[in-house]
Amino acid sequence: MSPVCHEDRALDLGDDHFHDACGVFAVWGHPDAARLTALGLHALQHRGQESAGIVSIEATRPLTAHAHRAMGLVQDAFTAATLAGLRGDVALGHVRYSTTGESHLRNAQPLLAAHQGQPLACAHNGNLTNTDALKRGLDAQGAVFQSSTDTEVFLHLAARARGDSALDRVIEALGACRGAWSVAFLAGRQLIAARDPHGLRPLCLGTLGRAHVVASEPVAFDLIGARYVRDLDPGEVLVIDADGARAYAPFEPVAPRFCVFEHVYFARPDSTLGGQSVYDARRAMGRALGREAPADADLVIGVPDSGVAAALGYAEASSLAFEVGLLRSRFVNRTFIEPVDAQRQFGVRMKLSPVAAALRGRRVVVVDDSIVRGTTARKLVAMLRDAGAREVHLRVASPPTRWPCFYGIDTPDRDELVAAHRAPAEVNALVGADSLGYLSLEGLRGAVNGQRGGFCDACFTGEYPVPFVPVGALTARTQHGLAPPVTRR
Amino acid sequence: MSPVCHEDRALDLGDDHFHDACGVFAVWGHPDAARLTALGLHALQHRGQESAGIVSIEATRPLTAHAHRAMGLVQDAFTAATLAGLRGDVALGHVRYSTTGESHLRNAQPLLAAHQGQPLACAHNGNLTNTDALKRGLDAQGAVFQSSTDTEVFLHLAARARGDSALDRVIEALGACRGAWSVAFLAGRQLIAARDPHGLRPLCLGTLGRAHVVASEPVAFDLIGARYVRDLDPGEVLVIDADGARAYAPFEPVAPRFCVFEHVYFARPDSTLGGQSVYDARRAMGRALGREAPADADLVIGVPDSGVAAALGYAEASSLAFEVGLLRSRFVNRTFIEPVDAQRQFGVRMKLSPVAAALRGRRVVVVDDSIVRGTTARKLVAMLRDAGAREVHLRVASPPTRWPCFYGIDTPDRDELVAAHRAPAEVNALVGADSLGYLSLEGLRGAVNGQRGGFCDACFTGEYPVPFVPVGALTARTQHGLAPPVTRR
Amino acid sequence: MSPVCHEDRALDLGDDHFHDACGVFAVWGHPDAARLTALGLHALQHRGQESAGIVSIEATRPLTAHAHRAMGLVQDAFTAATLAGLRGDVALGHVRYSTTGESHLRNAQPLLAAHQGQPLACAHNGNLTNTDALKRGLDAQGAVFQSSTDTEVFLHLAARARGDSALDRVIEALGACRGAWSVAFLAGRQLIAARDPHGLRPLCLGTLGRAHVVASEPVAFDLIGARYVRDLDPGEVLVIDADGARAYAPFEPVAPRFCVFEHVYFARPDSTLGGQSVYDARRAMGRALGREAPADADLVIGVPDSGVAAALGYAEASSLAFEVGLLRSRFVNRTFIEPVDAQRQFGVRMKLSPVAAALRGRRVVVVDDSIVRGTTARKLVAMLRDAGAREVHLRVASPPTRWPCFYGIDTPDRDELVAAHRAPAEVNALVGADSLGYLSLEGLRGAVNGQRGGFCDACFTGEYPVPFVPVGALTARTQHGLAPPVTRR
Amino acid sequence: MSPVCHEDRALDLGDDHFHDACGVFAVWGHPDAARLTALGLHALQHRGQESAGIVSIEATRPLTAHAHRAMGLVQDAFTAATLAGLRGDVALGHVRYSTTGESHLRNAQPLLAAHQGQPLACAHNGNLTNTDALKRGLDAQGAVFQSSTDTEVFLHLAARARGDSALDRVIEALGACRGAWSVAFLAGRQLIAARDPHGLRPLCLGTLGRAHVVASEPVAFDLIGARYVRDLDPGEVLVIDADGARAYAPFEPVAPRFCVFEHVYFARPDSTLGGQSVYDARRAMGRALGREAPADADLVIGVPDSGVAAALGYAEASSLAFEVGLLRSRFVNRTFIEPVDAQRQFGVRMKLSPVAAALRGRRVVVVDDSIVRGTTARKLVAMLRDAGAREVHLRVASPPTRWPCFYGIDTPDRDELVAAHRAPAEVNALVGADSLGYLSLEGLRGAVNGQRGGFCDACFTGEYPVPFVPVGALTARTQHGLAPPVTRR
């Protein structure tokens, strides 16, 4: 619907995964705010590699906002010189893999605007489900959209809200939004961070000396030596300013529904989300898979990086040897050239190399975290056979992905999901393994039971916790006034 | 007032001039629209060298808008690959030298937004005088500003306007604006071009085969082989779409006040503005100067490029020989390094070199178009003496610049204008010439009398044709309905 | 001694390893030669990341040589456009990590020169031990050196040699050289590849359809679908031209001495060198280490990537659980910014992240392939403790590195080698682990006994197979005439 | 003959001129040597725009040579950071427009090599006529050529020379060379500058405080505040080191033959060469042309920049008005895009714009410095007519160029020279002017009679002062011992 800008999309290198949309990082009250933000974003680089951006606020009168956004990786986007220009002790950063809006610099976040002479910046991980309705309403009021992200909707809603304080206006804006939002705003010198009532996407709080830090995953704290404090609660709105950090719970509570795919694939294995270690969860998925879908084989290998922990668990549960049968190239972050007569598995081989010594003449169980379209799995199986594996048994450490995600994950159309309309045996007929086994939904749920609250598993079940809002049916459910600050640990 | 982004400002290389803000170029109905626009902008490069941008509209369903904007010169910003991506037969381009807003990519024009699912782009040459009042009103209605240009105000006003058609909405938006605007919009596939009622800045119409072209100066037509048709009238709104070009005159007529400084310095000498050749005008200024401020000297030289035509006129009126006593470097478009112990006139010498053979032992009249701060003039005089000139008589082909411009020209604060509070003799005491002479206001007016209508000469006289609007006093004087199309030549 | 060019050296990111110098790749007789070479180099990227280069030969009359060399990674150095310019069906490529000569573009290989109107290119993996003597001799004959690599010596020697054919001249040149050279020349359209008599560095031959390919490691063949044929023999000179491939053995045979550190660290685990799988060798090193240096612990982790296979072997031999306790960042190929107050282990953390869930409260054996200066090991141990490990037992899958390498490996001065003058207990006092164990020399030799012939293990033992030649003592031992071609499998 | 590297050659923008090859600049004994050299090269940018390079010598033990060379303009090639790395108080720089060798980075000068542990760098303006013979001899002695410039020949010859001192060796090397060489060497910390015995190309000496500077044209001194001392004599070899500057005259004197085309076109008009002001010379050429080839016309215009001074002289001699009828774009230093349906004179228009106001209805004399192929002249005449000129009389301020240059100027093959085999009337039939007139050889000679000594005017007359050396016929005429230093002013 919206006017879009042209740009070639890089071909995936045999990377048949759902893709996370974004990572958010913010620092309040540290003289080195922008550099710390760049490092925090670097630690969150796995959540988005298309663009990176930082907005900082310098305490001049009036306030000065500095911004730098660029296509590409954090370490290419931010040089020492760029960071020197991002003065101020408050900074907000974002890495992006586009879900809504095209891959274009003008869609890179954080978005930065001015409202009533104050800077207003926003960085968002997630996806709204009532964007069209909201945009239609805003259009009717004369809003102009300069990006094709739904993140820009937050800015327009906040600017139009009636509240007296920035916090009131942000809460009113968020109250009109449906879907998934782990979001951070800079409103003047205030940092306001919030999670949607279902808590679909992660967001957590930490401290670095007297400074506060906010990040999508706690691994971003480790790199800069910050201390993890806690995850934000679903529905929480957290304000950080010169008076410290104050938590609010302005939205009607609903059942928590954390994205289970963060544990399956998106998050880094060294992260802990909702009190649950991702590495432990993946190992447990592997163990359950070993029990549910055993194989008569000689050894177990994992597809690096995300399938390795599950492969270890599978090996443990099935008492098979674990081997490093596949190597991931350290030097490929994007597509490169292709030879004129490329061999069949060229795309996969650019990223993964088989270790023939570990495979030759053996019956191999290969564990991957998920299968999306199935095209990579087919090439992978063929590559393992070419490297000498006698048998290849493919095991998937999650249930069949049958439904697209509408909450901030880049998934293909339903018809492209190989398991959408196929039984596992039919999938395996396409993939060509000696056998194929998936983890059951129960097995998955058991593996993540260390986490408080419920999960969103709509990509497996089609049970979407937040319905799409038909255009026109939107009833503004904005907040008039704040609930009192919540006392937290 | 607004939050701004950091960037170092390039030092001027002894370029003590008022600076034009912008150039606008548009093509409607040509398969090569973006390339032609890049060339048109290149021909207008003298009007702005800080950033360049093009938006094109591709006739897909829905329409697709392509955009590319970059800091720097047109030929650096646009490669063959970039232009290949700017598909479509309608394109709008802009070159910029910042007057409002900082020098930053996010302020590069054309601005592109979406409103009600349609692309809306805007490129502006000029400056509004009621921006603060308009922004305050828009702020109150929840507008968020993503650039620090006042051009963005057009987009917000047009989006909020009540008219049914894009043309109605643009006219309503323009009706609320005071100051100088030669502006072009792309609204969907329509191209809408307009000049403010005073006609402060230039804008003209041409044709290229069956395509229409719009440009700040007709020289942009010459390069692409387009035919000049006419200047837009002050207050004219011109719509170009599949039904052809239609002119409207929706605003209450006021006295035309074309910026006389376009003739003095900004425009290219090969341009014709308002029916008056710029070259002829400058030559006439020089002749008048020769009559008004003769010098007992051996030869006349001009400061290239803008002072040369006036120098020729001066030589003619005074029957002195004309020589090329100063060369302008072909290779300096921006600052370069400076040696640790730079000699006194280093900055000027990077741009201008004296031809000692023409100067040695001679009494020299040097003609410049204007003096702003006087710093360059002082170095220039010293450099000519060092090169061997026996006497240096500085002649300025315009009156003393005593007042800043508020209509789209980059001028220093009044206190920095060397002539603001000084008589010519006092100025010369600073500049150090053997004599100093300015052109009178009458002389200037006589030189440009080939042009229809009156001029704005506020930078010389302080008589501003458009007053500043005090915040709060703005009464919307929007148009309800269109005047009938004007029949034009 | 030689004049050098300035360039800042990138800080190592906690990468306390010996560094391999170079990778060589060549294609003869394929229309897509340059693209295949770029991919081959990409597969050899682990052997050198500072510069990359390709020379191709186009069969024009006279022959045209095309060259492109650049600092940085292969995929940054070679674009589709660059490769399109590298026309011809013969190509030679090189990736480099400087050992001799500074890191500078003019030292990037392949070197390309013209001699008697014919192109002569050279790419070298290894290091000469009589460079100074050779250069002195060449200096006396008027040679000028335009790089600071010892590779350039090959070009000068070949150009001065008296042989009638390029092959004769290359053999005469090589005959004067002492040390390690796995080298490939393009002489006109001929490809000449050779290994020094000890066979210190690897080089192998493959075929791709009717084309011949040569590479430092066979993994480079896998990516392009080429077939591995065999390793070149120590002392072999292989000529490839329109008459096919012919092998010569012109040098007096000596005992083979393959660099054992290729198996310890340099080579990719999926490579097979001298008939010995690197993965198997590392796993065997780990098993032997487990037997020789057991630990009372709960689990075993490896330092990715090179320590993982040994860790698996250690776990197997000691019946301890293997875990992924350290993650390697996918996004760091070079240094990035550092915060002002970086935490202690910052450098290591940029590359490696501990998985706290696998470590907390456990007694951990961490297996690394080698320790060089020991600085990284100290940070690593501290990082594992900070992540919760109760005990940290460091195990090194090779003997203490006590001597520098003179055969093409980047090693620090002897005094910087932490084990040069220290017993393991003293090393551990610096490193701070609960215990430290090295693999014995016998253990190492047992692990690589799948390979034919002897090894160079001078970095562990100080027993250098090739002595340094004192300047002046060089007696030219050049070859006059060729031994007959060797019949090979 | 030599292997060459591929690179697209930029299209000329209607720039139908002979092109100068190079500019040379050097500083001895100034702490800011590299920055001053960058500025000196910038002032010589008109002599070569394809590549730029600087070598500096830092007085470490052993000496350290720093080098930076890049394609493109000086101000793009050298940043503050690059220059900071070029430490040392001796520096040598070069700008290049290729005459021999392709346009490639590896041909960028200064060339830098090491010989006997000492840096040896060389920068050359000119062209050798016995390169092939010299290369053949060097080839036979085993020299390898790493560039395709004939400048590299100097390095090889100097390295092979038998003299004891660097000066002896440089003189011996130069003694073997025929043709045109204004050349500067850095040999260790010594700066050695020399001109060929005919003095074909310029080179001059200056001082900056206690430092010495050498430059192709004295205009390079003006920018940095250095003082011009004198031109080097033809055949002079000048040594600058800690003992000051010493001049030698080691070569057999021959008649001076300074390139007259430096006055016609190459040199900047503000330069003085051989005691003759270039501006005065061009003005005198114009006056002579006005006398020799008058026209019945209304006004005179010059083709900027090089034709303007001659046009002024023509106007003076013919008592016609001088006008600025053509503007040169300030923003075109290289080719840009071309529209799909470009108008006829597109290429010329990118560089030159007609001022219609000065031309319309008038009979115009247009003065250019020379005509090479005639293609641009045809477009120029057509463009002036299209701009309204009633008659166009083309006057050329030099004789017909009929012969190619072999002394360092980029000229087309003889058959491409429009006047090679055509009388002026035939040329005009192609160019399409109302009349065409050239300056006579006598007229040209009269105009430059301010200069001491004779000229090379082979491009007009075919009388080449230095014959080409047939391959094989070269008799080494090297110097054995130095003539005593020459006492100079």
Side-chain angles (χ1 to χ4, degrees), chain D residues 165-172 187 190 192 237-239 246 248 482:
Chain D
S165 69
L167 176 61
D168 279 352
R169 285 194 297 273
V170 163
I171 288 173
E172 183 178 334
Q190 259 183 341
I192 305 175
V237 177
L238 183 72
V239 186
R246 298 179 304 288
Y248 298 86
L482 287 174

Side-chain angles (χ1 to χ4, degrees), chain B residues 142-380:
Chain B
V144 289
F145 291 89
Q146 298 189 45
S147 74
S148 53
T149 65
D150 60 1
T151 308
E152 195 179 349
V153 168
F154 288 123
L155 294 184
H156 288 288
L157 290 174
R160 274 165 177 76
R162 279 157 294 172
D164 288 330
S165 70
L167 177 60
D168 279 352
R169 285 194 298 273
V170 163
I171 288 173
E172 183 177 333
L174 294 174
C177 294
R178 297 293 167 272
W181 28 270
S182 280
V183 66
F185 294 84
L186 297 183
R189 268 177 59 78
Q190 260 183 341
L191 167 62
I192 305 174
R195 282 178 85 188
D196 64 77
H198 288 295
L200 279 154
R201 310 241 66 83
L203 199 61
C204 57
L205 174 69
T207 54
L208 176 61
R210 306 171 84 171
H212 291 87
V213 282
V214 166
S216 292
E217 295 182 35
V219 288
F221 298 154
D222 298 340
L223 181 60
I224 61 168
R227 193 174 61 83
Y228 166 81
V229 174
R230 61 175 177 88
D231 286 29
L232 268 71
D233 281 334
E236 175 175 345
V237 177
L238 183 73
V239 185
I240 301 171
D241 57 21
D243 298 328
R246 300 179 303 288
Y248 297 86
F251 308 119
E252 203 170 305
V254 293
R257 295 291 204 116
F258 184 73
C259 169
V260 76
F261 224 85
E262 292 277 351
H263 282 294
V264 170
Y265 171 70
F266 302 137
R268 270 177 42 180
D270 48 339
S271 269
T272 296
L273 299 172
Q276 162 80 56
S277 150
V278 174
Y279 182 77
D280 281 349
R282 289 187 190 164
R283 246 184 155 301
M285 292 172 205
R287 280 194 306 269
L289 181 63
R291 290 187 299 265
E292 293 182 4
D296 192 10
D298 301 318
L299 59 92
V300 180
I301 67 173
V303 180
D305 294 338
S306 47
V308 171
L312 274 174
Y314 190 101
E316 183 187 339
S318 58
S319 299
L320 291 172
F322 169 85
E323 296 282 346
V324 177
L326 285 166
L327 298 176
R328 181 178 177 125
S329 171
R330 281 198 286 131
F331 300 106
V332 177
N333 290 322
R334 51 183 170 75
T335 52
F336 188 35
I337 53 163
E338 195 167 348
V340 173
D341 290 311
Q343 45 122 331
R344 281 180 306 155
Q345 302 121 21
F346 180 77
V348 170
R349 260 181 200 274
M350 280 294 283
K351 210 179 71 174
L352 298 174
S353 309
V355 181
L359 303 168
R360 201 170 299 125
R362 319 286 289 281
R363 298 171 301 162
V364 177
V365 174
V366 55
V367 180
D368 205 350
D369 58 89
S370 57
I371 297 181
V372 178
R373 292 176 185 80
T375 48
T376 297
R378 185 169 61 240
K379 290 180 183 175
L380 180 67

Side-chain angles (χ1 to χ4, degrees), chain C residues 1 3-6 62-67 85 87 112-117 119 139 141-146 152 155-156 159-160, chain D residues 1 3-6 62-67 85 87 112-117 119 139 141-146 152 155-156 159-160:
Chain C
M1 215 36 147
V4 294
C5 288
H6 133 102
L63 294 176
T64 306
H66 303 281
R87 289 185 296 271
L112 170 62
H115 179 62
Q116 300 188 346
D139 263 338
Q141 297 169 45
V144 290
F145 290 90
Q146 299 190 44
E152 194 179 351
L155 294 184
H156 288 289
R160 274 164 178 74
Chain D
M1 213 39 144
V4 294
C5 288
H6 135 102
L63 293 177
T64 305
H66 305 279
R87 288 184 297 271
L112 170 62
H115 180 62
Q116 300 188 345
D139 263 337
Q141 299 169 43
V144 290
F145 291 89
Q146 298 190 44
E152 193 179 351
L155 294 184
H156 289 287
R160 273 162 178 77

Side-chain angles (χ1 to χ4, degrees), chain C residues 246-271:
Chain C
R246 298 178 304 288
Y248 297 85
F251 308 119
E252 203 169 306
V254 294
R257 296 293 203 115
F258 184 72
C259 169
V260 75
F261 224 86
E262 292 276 351
H263 283 295
V264 171
Y265 171 69
F266 301 138
R268 267 175 46 179
D270 49 339
S271 268

